[in-house]
Amino acid sequence: MNARIIKTALERTGFAAAVVAIFTFSVFPLYWALITSWQKGSEVYTVRYLPSAISWANYRAVFIEQSFGHNLVNSALVAAGTVGVSLALSVFAAYGLGRVRFRGRMLLLFTILGASMFPQIAVLSGLFELIGWMGLYNRLPGLVLAYLIFTLPFSVWVLTIFMQRLPREIEEAALVDGASPRVVVLRILVPLVRPAMVTTGLLAFIAAWNEFLFALTLTLTDRARTVPVAISLITGASQYELPWGRVMAASVIVTVPLVLLVLVFQRRIVSGLILGGVKG
Amino acid sequence: MWGIDPLMDSNSKPNVRRAVRVTAGAGLERWRVRTAWVFLAPTLAVLALVAGWPLLRTAMLAFTDAYLSRMAEARWVGLENFRWLLTDGDWWRSVQNTIVFTVASVSVQFVLGLGAALVLNVRFAGRGLLRAVVLIPWAIPTVVSARMWRWMYHDVYGVFNDLGLRSGLLAQPVAWLADDTTAMAAIVVADIWKATPFMALLLLAGLQAIPPGLYEAARVDGVGRLNAFVYITLPLLKPAILVALIFRTLDALRVFDLIYVMTSNAVSTASMSVYARQQLIDFQEMGYGSAVSLMIFFVIAVFVAAYVTAMRASLVEEG
């Protein structure tokens, strides 16, 4: 037993402890929500660290006694609509910003980037009024329109960076052959930036699925409510007596698709976050 | 298919025309610039509609006494709303809350995020899995994490009180979110949980950009690991640290969901955004609420300017 071996052993143990700590820190609240959601009725009022019997009563209650299924469909429609519109618009904008040099290009690019950073609250009163005028209050298209404020600038930014990286000759050959710019974008550039489109699409989906402030303000009834708003509004018999089992069941249901997305697309999501945050 | 594209020139012989343009050189460039603007137009129009116009309206409403249910009768009141704002104790309390929240959560996130990034930068079995797991708190909707944490903070059945009582750290259960002395700290902890992954991943990307050869050379020269961290890692990580800090600060300054769901409009924890929304929607004070929103906009604009400048610098550096 020399000092060196002891030192290495200590280091290894310390490292393993750090890994376990990070893992526990990340997963514990979700684990806690899960075991709470499996407890029936008043069982939630005894603190248990391991699941005893697994009951799905809370999950059934969320769908039967509340219109949670409807809220889920709303969330999915709004998120999918937001992704579709953002990608369709931003892929063309990114061509303009990323493949063509013109005066004011950088100013425009950074204005768009700046637009994604501004506080949602700053546009809330004007947006509320606008959505009302357009007759979109308490309707899903209103939310899609509102969400473009943050998904569109982000998508444009990331796709522009990707387009910039492609060699210039790619489109030139096609242009010489007489292809229109729209054809160049759709047939040549889109397939090449598809990985970036998947990444931005995923991030836009997550952002729209999770959004709360606009959804809370621009909807009024369950007809148009998305899941985050529905979860925030679950109340019990009194303000002090929330049906925690049910709240946790609903929380687990919305979280599962996201956790799956994250586990499957981890690399793409991370690269997108980094491009959005730092220039890659 | 290529020849019948509707966006193509109506000319019946597009190939010929295009070919003429290509040889024209400068003409091609002009044509490309025009195309760029045509392609940008829809995006710019949408952004002007959903971001530009509402922002302008907020700025206009800020100088009126508009009330939600009778918007048509709004009158111009000049700086009245701002005068009122400067003397409103609840507003200043929300400013203070937001600053405390931002400083506390971003600084802890930075320390923990850097630690986690250093761990994730080491090759070990299960690193990929851990990197995915770390993303979970980030991906969970804020409303959901706020609910989860509220349950863990429950004054009677919460896990923190249970653990505290069992271990003897607490003599009696604490109402973490109802007690003014602990509520903000409890919210900050939940935010640290939620946003540390983002910080860690940005820093990890910075770490991975450092050439490993530098550490090899340092090792050969007998430089210790702590010194290598201080003299190689930190200086080279500086741009990533800067961007991560500004990005997180921006996010923290506009915090809404977490605080709204955990403690509703309680004055002792309300952030600037929570206060503004309460005025706008709950109290229907569109004029005054818009003035509040405009103030928040200017506060955050300073940070956005700093961020965009930092990004520009990194963009110019890389060419």
mmCIF file of all heavy atoms in Angstrom, chain B residues 64-87:
data_model
loop_
_atom_site.group_PDB
_atom_site.id
_atom_site.type_symbol
_atom_site.label_atom_id
_atom_site.label_comp_id
_atom_site.label_asym_id
_atom_site.label_seq_id
_atom_site.Cartn_x
_atom_site.Cartn_y
_atom_site.Cartn_z
ATOM 1 N N THR B 64 -50.785 56.094 -21.162
ATOM 2 C CA THR B 64 -52.231 56.322 -21.089
ATOM 3 C C THR B 64 -52.787 55.729 -19.801
ATOM 4 O O THR B 64 -52.080 55.027 -19.082
ATOM 5 C CB THR B 64 -52.978 55.649 -22.255
ATOM 6 O OG1 THR B 64 -52.889 54.230 -22.074
ATOM 7 C CG2 THR B 64 -52.381 56.014 -23.597
ATOM 8 N N ASP B 65 -54.077 56.006 -19.554
ATOM 9 C CA ASP B 65 -54.710 55.395 -18.381
ATOM 10 C C ASP B 65 -55.622 54.237 -18.819
ATOM 11 O O ASP B 65 -56.654 53.988 -18.216
ATOM 12 C CB ASP B 65 -55.500 56.447 -17.595
ATOM 13 C CG ASP B 65 -56.643 57.038 -18.415
ATOM 14 O OD1 ASP B 65 -56.751 56.691 -19.608
ATOM 15 O OD2 ASP B 65 -57.436 57.832 -17.866
ATOM 16 N N ALA B 66 -55.217 53.536 -19.882
ATOM 17 C CA ALA B 66 -56.059 52.470 -20.438
ATOM 18 C C ALA B 66 -56.436 51.438 -19.373
ATOM 19 O O ALA B 66 -55.634 51.068 -18.526
ATOM 20 C CB ALA B 66 -55.322 51.778 -21.576
ATOM 21 N N TYR B 67 -57.688 51.032 -19.446
ATOM 22 C CA TYR B 67 -58.210 50.019 -18.543
ATOM 23 C C TYR B 67 -58.787 48.912 -19.420
ATOM 24 O O TYR B 67 -59.461 49.198 -20.414
ATOM 25 C CB TYR B 67 -59.288 50.637 -17.650
ATOM 26 C CG TYR B 67 -59.672 49.791 -16.481
ATOM 27 C CD1 TYR B 67 -58.828 49.717 -15.364
ATOM 28 C CD2 TYR B 67 -60.843 49.058 -16.484
ATOM 29 C CE1 TYR B 67 -59.166 48.923 -14.282
ATOM 30 C CE2 TYR B 67 -61.189 48.262 -15.405
ATOM 31 C CZ TYR B 67 -60.346 48.205 -14.308
ATOM 32 O OH TYR B 67 -60.677 47.406 -13.247
ATOM 33 N N LEU B 68 -58.493 47.651 -19.084
ATOM 34 C CA LEU B 68 -58.779 46.541 -19.992
ATOM 35 C C LEU B 68 -60.207 46.522 -20.529
ATOM 36 O O LEU B 68 -60.418 46.330 -21.722
ATOM 37 C CB LEU B 68 -58.453 45.212 -19.306
ATOM 38 C CG LEU B 68 -58.440 43.976 -20.197
ATOM 39 C CD1 LEU B 68 -57.443 44.129 -21.329
ATOM 40 C CD2 LEU B 68 -58.091 42.744 -19.377
ATOM 41 N N SER B 69 -61.187 46.761 -19.665
ATOM 42 C CA SER B 69 -62.576 46.609 -20.115
ATOM 43 C C SER B 69 -63.094 47.850 -20.853
ATOM 44 O O SER B 69 -64.169 47.815 -21.410
ATOM 45 C CB SER B 69 -63.475 46.288 -18.920
ATOM 46 O OG SER B 69 -63.310 47.298 -17.944
ATOM 47 N N ARG B 70 -62.341 48.949 -20.816
ATOM 48 C CA ARG B 70 -62.769 50.109 -21.625
ATOM 49 C C ARG B 70 -61.549 50.770 -22.262
ATOM 50 O O ARG B 70 -61.172 51.892 -21.933
ATOM 51 C CB ARG B 70 -63.572 51.107 -20.801
ATOM 52 C CG ARG B 70 -63.094 51.255 -19.374
ATOM 53 C CD ARG B 70 -64.004 52.177 -18.570
ATOM 54 N NE ARG B 70 -63.657 52.125 -17.169
ATOM 55 C CZ ARG B 70 -62.618 52.766 -16.638
ATOM 56 N NH1 ARG B 70 -61.858 53.525 -17.352
ATOM 57 N NH2 ARG B 70 -62.352 52.655 -15.343
ATOM 58 N N MET B 71 -60.981 50.009 -23.201
ATOM 59 C CA MET B 71 -59.751 50.444 -23.862
ATOM 60 C C MET B 71 -59.979 51.698 -24.706
ATOM 61 O O MET B 71 -59.098 52.533 -24.854
ATOM 62 C CB MET B 71 -59.204 49.332 -24.763
ATOM 63 C CG MET B 71 -58.677 48.133 -24.021
ATOM 64 S SD MET B 71 -57.136 48.455 -23.168
ATOM 65 C CE MET B 71 -55.983 48.452 -24.536
ATOM 66 N N ALA B 72 -61.209 51.836 -25.277
ATOM 67 C CA ALA B 72 -61.469 52.939 -26.208
ATOM 68 C C ALA B 72 -61.419 54.295 -25.511
ATOM 69 O O ALA B 72 -61.128 55.314 -26.133
ATOM 70 C CB ALA B 72 -62.827 52.737 -26.877
ATOM 71 N N GLU B 73 -61.682 54.295 -24.206
ATOM 72 C CA GLU B 73 -61.723 55.580 -23.503
ATOM 73 C C GLU B 73 -60.360 56.008 -22.966
ATOM 74 O O GLU B 73 -60.268 56.982 -22.211
ATOM 75 C CB GLU B 73 -62.692 55.478 -22.316
ATOM 76 C CG GLU B 73 -64.122 55.207 -22.734
ATOM 77 C CD GLU B 73 -64.930 54.603 -21.594
ATOM 78 O OE1 GLU B 73 -64.721 54.999 -20.435
ATOM 79 O OE2 GLU B 73 -65.757 53.723 -21.876
ATOM 80 N N ALA B 74 -59.317 55.258 -23.338
ATOM 81 C CA ALA B 74 -57.990 55.552 -22.797
ATOM 82 C C ALA B 74 -57.570 56.987 -23.118
ATOM 83 O O ALA B 74 -57.754 57.467 -24.229
ATOM 84 C CB ALA B 74 -56.977 54.580 -23.380
ATOM 85 N N ARG B 75 -57.046 57.675 -22.107
ATOM 86 C CA ARG B 75 -56.579 59.034 -22.293
ATOM 87 C C ARG B 75 -55.064 59.106 -22.097
ATOM 88 O O ARG B 75 -54.484 58.333 -21.341
ATOM 89 C CB ARG B 75 -57.243 59.971 -21.281
ATOM 90 C CG ARG B 75 -58.666 60.382 -21.653
ATOM 91 C CD ARG B 75 -59.240 61.279 -20.567
ATOM 92 N NE ARG B 75 -59.010 60.685 -19.239
ATOM 93 C CZ ARG B 75 -58.353 61.310 -18.246
ATOM 94 N NH1 ARG B 75 -57.913 62.522 -18.413
ATOM 95 N NH2 ARG B 75 -58.184 60.704 -17.087
ATOM 96 N N TRP B 76 -54.467 60.056 -22.786
ATOM 97 C CA TRP B 76 -53.032 60.288 -22.661
ATOM 98 C C TRP B 76 -52.753 60.912 -21.288
ATOM 99 O O TRP B 76 -53.384 61.886 -20.904
ATOM 100 C CB TRP B 76 -52.605 61.242 -23.790
ATOM 101 C CG TRP B 76 -51.163 61.596 -23.767
ATOM 102 C CD1 TRP B 76 -50.604 62.687 -23.188
ATOM 103 C CD2 TRP B 76 -50.092 60.853 -24.374
ATOM 104 N NE1 TRP B 76 -49.247 62.676 -23.379
ATOM 105 C CE2 TRP B 76 -48.910 61.565 -24.100
ATOM 106 C CE3 TRP B 76 -50.043 59.671 -25.103
ATOM 107 C CZ2 TRP B 76 -47.662 61.122 -24.538
ATOM 108 C CZ3 TRP B 76 -48.810 59.233 -25.546
ATOM 109 C CH2 TRP B 76 -47.634 59.948 -25.252
ATOM 110 N N VAL B 77 -51.837 60.336 -20.519
ATOM 111 C CA VAL B 77 -51.572 60.902 -19.199
ATOM 112 C C VAL B 77 -50.102 61.284 -19.016
ATOM 113 O O VAL B 77 -49.648 61.538 -17.906
ATOM 114 C CB VAL B 77 -51.994 59.942 -18.063
ATOM 115 C CG1 VAL B 77 -53.499 59.777 -18.044
ATOM 116 C CG2 VAL B 77 -51.286 58.605 -18.194
ATOM 117 N N GLY B 78 -49.369 61.256 -20.111
ATOM 118 C CA GLY B 78 -47.960 61.655 -20.014
ATOM 119 C C GLY B 78 -47.167 60.696 -19.137
ATOM 120 O O GLY B 78 -47.311 59.477 -19.248
ATOM 121 N N LEU B 79 -46.382 61.243 -18.239
ATOM 122 C CA LEU B 79 -45.494 60.404 -17.436
ATOM 123 C C LEU B 79 -46.130 59.959 -16.115
ATOM 124 O O LEU B 79 -45.441 59.409 -15.252
ATOM 125 C CB LEU B 79 -44.199 61.171 -17.149
ATOM 126 C CG LEU B 79 -43.303 61.393 -18.373
ATOM 127 C CD1 LEU B 79 -42.169 62.341 -18.033
ATOM 128 C CD2 LEU B 79 -42.746 60.068 -18.887
ATOM 129 N N GLU B 80 -47.426 60.196 -15.999
ATOM 130 C CA GLU B 80 -48.136 59.877 -14.752
ATOM 131 C C GLU B 80 -47.842 58.457 -14.232
ATOM 132 O O GLU B 80 -47.522 58.264 -13.067
ATOM 133 C CB GLU B 80 -49.642 60.053 -14.995
ATOM 134 C CG GLU B 80 -50.500 59.917 -13.772
ATOM 135 C CD GLU B 80 -50.190 60.975 -12.706
ATOM 136 O OE1 GLU B 80 -49.648 62.051 -13.069
ATOM 137 O OE2 GLU B 80 -50.476 60.714 -11.537
ATOM 138 N N ASN B 81 -47.948 57.462 -15.161
ATOM 139 C CA ASN B 81 -47.731 56.071 -14.747
ATOM 140 C C ASN B 81 -46.330 55.863 -14.174
ATOM 141 O O ASN B 81 -46.144 55.132 -13.201
ATOM 142 C CB ASN B 81 -47.914 55.124 -15.931
ATOM 143 C CG ASN B 81 -49.364 55.028 -16.356
ATOM 144 O OD1 ASN B 81 -50.259 55.108 -15.517
ATOM 145 N ND2 ASN B 81 -49.595 54.883 -17.659
ATOM 146 N N PHE B 82 -45.357 56.499 -14.805
ATOM 147 C CA PHE B 82 -43.979 56.314 -14.358
ATOM 148 C C PHE B 82 -43.745 57.003 -13.011
ATOM 149 O O PHE B 82 -42.985 56.522 -12.180
ATOM 150 C CB PHE B 82 -43.000 56.832 -15.417
ATOM 151 C CG PHE B 82 -43.053 56.014 -16.683
ATOM 152 C CD1 PHE B 82 -43.899 56.373 -17.721
ATOM 153 C CD2 PHE B 82 -42.299 54.854 -16.818
ATOM 154 C CE1 PHE B 82 -43.982 55.602 -18.870
ATOM 155 C CE2 PHE B 82 -42.370 54.090 -17.962
ATOM 156 C CZ PHE B 82 -43.209 54.464 -18.994
ATOM 157 N N ARG B 83 -44.426 58.138 -12.822
ATOM 158 C CA ARG B 83 -44.307 58.842 -11.551
ATOM 159 C C ARG B 83 -44.860 57.953 -10.432
ATOM 160 O O ARG B 83 -44.267 57.800 -9.370
ATOM 161 C CB ARG B 83 -45.106 60.153 -11.622
ATOM 162 C CG ARG B 83 -44.499 61.316 -10.870
ATOM 163 C CD ARG B 83 -45.210 62.603 -11.253
ATOM 164 N NE ARG B 83 -46.650 62.520 -11.101
ATOM 165 C CZ ARG B 83 -47.304 62.741 -9.941
ATOM 166 N NH1 ARG B 83 -46.631 63.082 -8.873
ATOM 167 N NH2 ARG B 83 -48.608 62.622 -9.885
ATOM 168 N N TRP B 84 -45.979 57.347 -10.727
ATOM 169 C CA TRP B 84 -46.629 56.444 -9.775
ATOM 170 C C TRP B 84 -45.719 55.245 -9.489
ATOM 171 O O TRP B 84 -45.517 54.836 -8.351
ATOM 172 C CB TRP B 84 -47.966 56.011 -10.352
ATOM 173 C CG TRP B 84 -48.732 55.050 -9.504
ATOM 174 C CD1 TRP B 84 -48.989 53.754 -9.777
ATOM 175 C CD2 TRP B 84 -49.329 55.328 -8.235
ATOM 176 N NE1 TRP B 84 -49.702 53.191 -8.762
ATOM 177 C CE2 TRP B 84 -49.923 54.132 -7.789
ATOM 178 C CE3 TRP B 84 -49.403 56.465 -7.421
ATOM 179 C CZ2 TRP B 84 -50.593 54.038 -6.576
ATOM 180 C CZ3 TRP B 84 -50.074 56.363 -6.205
ATOM 181 C CH2 TRP B 84 -50.667 55.169 -5.792
ATOM 182 N N LEU B 85 -45.141 54.726 -10.564
ATOM 183 C CA LEU B 85 -44.283 53.544 -10.472
ATOM 184 C C LEU B 85 -43.107 53.794 -9.526
ATOM 185 O O LEU B 85 -42.773 52.958 -8.687
ATOM 186 C CB LEU B 85 -43.764 53.202 -11.884
ATOM 187 C CG LEU B 85 -42.876 51.983 -12.026
ATOM 188 C CD1 LEU B 85 -43.692 50.723 -11.853
ATOM 189 C CD2 LEU B 85 -42.245 51.956 -13.404
ATOM 190 N N LEU B 86 -42.484 54.967 -9.652
ATOM 191 C CA LEU B 86 -41.301 55.261 -8.858
ATOM 192 C C LEU B 86 -41.599 55.319 -7.364
ATOM 193 O O LEU B 86 -40.710 55.115 -6.546
ATOM 194 C CB LEU B 86 -40.682 56.593 -9.308
ATOM 195 C CG LEU B 86 -40.078 56.571 -10.708
ATOM 196 C CD1 LEU B 86 -39.531 57.939 -11.084
ATOM 197 C CD2 LEU B 86 -38.960 55.520 -10.817
ATOM 198 N N THR B 87 -42.882 55.570 -7.028
ATOM 199 C CA THR B 87 -43.208 55.681 -5.612
ATOM 200 C C THR B 87 -43.909 54.425 -5.088
ATOM 201 O O THR B 87 -44.311 54.369 -3.937
ATOM 202 C CB THR B 87 -44.141 56.882 -5.354
ATOM 203 O OG1 THR B 87 -45.305 56.703 -6.165
ATOM 204 C CG2 THR B 87 -43.460 58.187 -5.727
#
